[in-house]
Amino acid sequence: MTNRVNFSKTILALALCIVALGARAASRAFFDDFESYAVGSNLHGQGGWAGWAGNASAGALVSTNFAFSPTRSVNITGASDLVHTFSGATNGQWVFSVRQYIPSTSTGTNYVILLNTYRPPYGTNDLNWSVQIQNNMDTGEIISDFGGGTILPMVKDQWVEERCEINLASNSVSEFYNGQLLSTHAWQGGLGGPGLNEIQALD
């Protein structure tokens, strides 16, 4: 059985927004369009969201400045390091899709990260990265950090999809940006050792 998972996410200035993880033919799926949260509220502690390692100051605020869904997104800026964990994604094929919006005035770097291991107390043996897509707004590049540093040009001032097609059975992930293949590499072994054959977190 194939589990189809969709995350939608936006990047605003130094920001990530709109996250949705949904599934077709799967009951263990997650979807969030941020419409149920109060504008200006910190997502930490709401809807399964939390700052990295449970740190509320690493949360992110709900915004109406840009939106792929009707009215709202999440603005990742400064110290924001927002995480959502998952359970049950231990086999089969999954699709992770994020929508991002990067204004041309944006600077700095942020990341779309998927971890196969993310658990307290968040020490060396508790964390393992599988995907790290770098959004470098200064150079205008989208970079696959675990896919040999392959690069695609960044698109600004419009909504763009970043997508990962994950096959846990074959230990592989293909990363796409704006409909173009960015990289294909192993799911386990990105950073922190071999890790687990699971999808445990979005960072």
Side-chain angles (χ1 to χ4, degrees):
M1 177 178 284
T2 298
N3 299 313
R4 304 286 284 176
V5 182
N6 295 315
F7 281 81
S8 297
K9 194 181 225 171
T10 336
I11 296 178
L12 313 169
L14 296 159
L16 280 160
C17 295
I18 301 187
V19 177
L21 171 66
R24 189 175 0 170
S27 59
R28 293 185 302 261
F30 172 78
F31 175 88
D32 199 338
D33 62 6
F34 304 112
E35 295 299 310
S36 64
Y37 307 115
V39 175
S41 66
N42 187 342
L43 270 188
H44 175 84
Q46 298 190 76
W49 295 100
W52 179 267
N55 183 355
S57 65
L61 304 183
V62 177
S63 172
T64 56
N65 292 339
F66 297 89
F68 184 72
S69 61
T71 63
R72 299 176 192 185
S73 59
V74 174
N75 188 0
I76 305 292
T77 186
S80 297
D81 195 352
L82 194 64
V83 176
H84 200 292
T85 58
F86 309 104
S87 62
T90 59
N91 57 58
Q93 299 176 47
W94 298 78
V95 175
F96 167 91
S97 173
V98 296
R99 301 282 176 173
Q100 61 181 352
Y101 187 99
I102 304 176
S104 56
T105 55
S106 300
T107 59
T109 300
N110 63 18
Y111 300 85
V112 172
I113 294 172
L114 294 173
L115 294 102
N116 64 65
T117 309
Y118 177 84
R119 60 197 176 203
Y122 311 107
T124 301
N125 295 327
D126 307 308
L127 304 170
N128 197 282
W129 286 251
S130 287
V131 168
Q132 184 166 287
I133 300 174
Q134 179 184 155
N135 302 284
N136 190 319
M137 291 166 263
D138 296 329
T139 63
E141 295 174 327
I142 303 296
I143 305 166
S144 174
D145 285 345
F146 300 154
T150 54
I151 296 171
L152 286 172
M154 180 180 289
V155 177
K156 296 184 178 182
D157 294 324
Q158 70 184 57
W159 290 93
V160 179
E161 181 190 43
E162 284 187 15
R163 186 175 78 253
C164 294
E165 298 183 358
I166 303 160
N167 189 328
L168 296 177
S170 63
N171 186 35
S172 67
V173 56
S174 293
E175 304 164 346
F176 296 84
Y177 177 77
N178 197 29
Q180 299 179 67
L181 179 65
L182 176 63
S183 173
T184 297
H185 57 86
W187 172 254
Q188 293 173 268
L191 178 64
L196 301 175
N197 192 43
E198 299 184 22
I199 307 169
Q200 286 200 357
L202 159 70
D203 174 25

